[in-house]
């Protein structure tokens, strides 16, 4: 079971059993996002800055280009229902679908038709915005949630033919959205404006924050077996979340529906790393995290962590983590 991590320069293939890491071959421009296919063993997807989308069918050992060259790919998410369907988000904000594992692509109805689109703006480049994250419903192939950075979390129930705009009280700056197959209408969101969750597919939202001592959330993951066990990464703000050497990232796990606790076992007592990227594993209680020090694992619901592999060269940024089945 290889682990893939995308830095600002390359995709790293990590062999946990051997404790080794090596650079993936065959990916062109700078990687921007990663995802493992939940239904196809060995398959993974990588988006890049301008070289398009790449697919691997051997756990990241080799890659081939599968289209959308010239576009800035910002998110890639394979379907949890159809093994041949994959969704891609770009900058400026567009959503693309392939129904044949990347052989051809079709754009969904344009997102700019939504009323809130005139207010979307990515602060570092305020003249543009992008699709930061795409989350697929675990049971319905036509239902998606799409995070626009920054300005809206939108959704569709018909595969992108029509879109539902953001709702009052929902997240504005969604970074990631996690949903569990045992609770398919419950959404967990890490956002620049805090932690959000919904029990009705995003119609209404709440933001339980007791125990969180910072409010800028980067990543979120749910226990593979227990949908109430949630872990998030966070930092004091956008300028201290992403860049090695100047960040104060930390982890939190949820104790109850309303309360969080800081995870300290396996992490610096004084926050000094990027806010790590998170990914659920395959077994109950299994989580993975990636920061500039390496890849870390927890087998007990995110209470205790150990670093399993370091990188050959420590990166300044992390763009993605994926556990290949």
């Amino acid at each position: 079971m290889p682990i893939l991590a995308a830095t600002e320069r390359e995709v790293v293939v990590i062999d946990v059993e051997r404790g080794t890491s090596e650079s993936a071959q065959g990916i062109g421009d700078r990687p921007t996002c990663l995802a493992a296919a939940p239904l196809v063993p060995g398959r993974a997807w990588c988006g890049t800055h301008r070289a398009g989308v790449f697919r691997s069918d051997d756990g990241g050992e080799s890659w081939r280009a599968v289209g959308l060259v010239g576009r800035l790919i910002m998110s890639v998410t394979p379907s949890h229902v159809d093994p041949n369907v994959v969704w891609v988000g770009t900058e400026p904000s567009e959503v693309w679908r392939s129904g044949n594992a990347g052989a051809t692509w079709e754009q969904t109805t344009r997102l700019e038709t939504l009323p809130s689109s005139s207010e979307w703006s990515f602060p570092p480049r305020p003249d543009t915005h992008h699709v930061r994250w795409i989350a697929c419903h675990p049971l319905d192939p036509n239902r998606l949630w799409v995070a626009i950075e920054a300005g809206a979390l939108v959704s569709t129930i018909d595969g992108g033919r029509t879109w539902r705009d953001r709702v009052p009280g929902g997240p504005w700056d969604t970074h990631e959205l996690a949903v569990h197959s045992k609770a398919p209408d419950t959404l967990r969101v890490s956002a620049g404006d805090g932690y959000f969750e919904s029990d009705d597919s995003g119609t209404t939202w709440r933001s339980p924050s007791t125990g969180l001592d910072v409010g800028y959330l980067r990543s979120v993951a749910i226990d593979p077996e227990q949908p109430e066990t949630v872990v998030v990464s966070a930092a004091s703000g956008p300028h201290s979340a992403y860049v090695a050497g100047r960040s104060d990232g930390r982890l939190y796990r949820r104790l109850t529906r309303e309360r969080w606790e800081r995870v300290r076992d396996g992490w610096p007592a004084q926050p000094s790393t990027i806010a790590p990227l998170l990914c659920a594993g395959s077994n109950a209680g299994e989580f993975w995290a990636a920061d500039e020090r390496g890849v870390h694992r927890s087998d007990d619901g995110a209470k205790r962590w150990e670093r399993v592999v370091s990188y050959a060269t420590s990166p300044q940024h992390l763009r993605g983590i994926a556990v290949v089945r």
Side-chain angles (χ1 to χ4, degrees):
M1 181 181 69
I3 308 296
L4 305 179
T7 75
E8 72 274 20
R9 299 183 303 269
E10 62 182 356
V11 172
V12 180
V13 183
I14 296 163
D15 187 320
V16 176
E17 293 184 0
R18 295 181 180 179
T20 61
S21 63
E22 60 182 21
S23 299
Q25 303 299 310
I27 296 177
D29 204 354
R30 304 192 303 270
T32 55
C33 51
L34 273 178
L39 302 177
V40 184
R43 178 170 292 175
W45 300 87
C46 179
T48 66
H49 188 262
R50 292 291 178 187
V53 180
F54 289 76
R55 193 185 84 202
S56 174
D57 291 309
D58 55 11
E61 293 296 323
S62 63
W63 297 80
R64 66 186 185 94
V66 290
L68 298 182
V69 175
R71 287 183 167 81
L72 176 48
I73 310 299
M74 297 300 294
S75 53
V76 57
T77 304
S79 171
H80 289 256
V81 180
D82 188 329
N84 293 311
V85 171
V86 61
W87 302 88
V88 161
T90 66
E91 177 181 308
S93 297
E94 299 173 347
V95 174
W96 291 77
R97 177 188 184 273
S98 175
N100 47 24
T104 60
W105 297 87
E106 181 180 3
Q107 186 180 352
T108 66
T109 299
R110 297 186 67 84
L111 294 167
E112 281 91 345
T113 60
L114 291 168
S116 73
S117 65
S118 62
E119 302 173 27
W120 302 347
S121 178
F122 180 52
R125 299 188 299 277
D127 58 334
T128 189
H129 46 78
H130 53 247
V131 175
R132 170 72 175 254
W133 194 261
I134 300 174
C136 296
H137 192 281
L139 305 176
D140 185 341
N142 293 313
R143 294 183 66 183
L144 302 173
W145 295 272
V146 171
I148 309 297
E149 188 174 39
L153 177 65
V154 305
S155 61
T156 178
I157 60 173
D158 55 16
R161 288 189 293 274
T162 61
W163 293 99
R164 182 191 189 193
D165 207 346
R166 66 190 186 191
V167 300
W172 177 80
D173 186 21
T174 297
H175 294 146
E176 292 185 9
L177 186 154
V179 59
H180 200 285
S181 60
K182 292 184 177 180
D185 296 319
T186 299
L187 313 181
R188 320 287 191 188
V189 164
S190 57
D193 45 328
Y195 173 79
F196 291 78
E197 60 186 23
S198 170
D199 290 324
D200 51 18
S201 299
T203 300
T204 60
W205 295 87
R206 61 181 179 274
S207 299
S209 59
T210 301
L212 295 175
D213 58 355
V214 290
Y216 188 90
L217 273 63
R218 182 184 190 184
S219 194
V220 59
I222 306 173
D223 187 286
E225 294 297 330
Q226 301 294 332
E228 286 299 316
T229 300
V230 184
V231 58
V232 297
S233 68
S236 59
H239 299 294
S240 58
Y242 301 106
V243 183
R246 69 181 200 197
S247 292
D248 59 4
R250 59 206 82 183
L251 285 185
Y252 298 87
R253 63 186 295 269
R254 195 163 69 170
L255 289 179
T256 69
R257 200 169 177 82
E258 298 297 328
R259 184 169 184 82
W260 300 85
E261 72 168 358
R262 169 97 176 272
V263 179
R264 300 180 183 274
D265 194 337
W267 298 93
Q270 181 66 31
S272 58
T273 70
I274 64 171
L277 291 172
L278 302 169
C279 187
S282 300
N283 303 310
E286 181 184 350
F287 289 96
W288 296 86
D291 65 5
E292 69 269 36
R293 300 173 299 153
V295 172
H296 313 256
R297 177 176 59 197
S298 173
D299 293 323
D300 61 0
K303 296 177 186 177
R304 294 177 294 274
W305 293 77
E306 64 171 344
R307 191 188 328 175
V308 294
V309 178
S310 300
Y311 310 110
T313 302
S314 181
Q316 192 171 26
H317 303 272
L318 267 293
R319 305 300 190 196
I321 182 174
V323 179
V324 184
R325 314 299 178 187

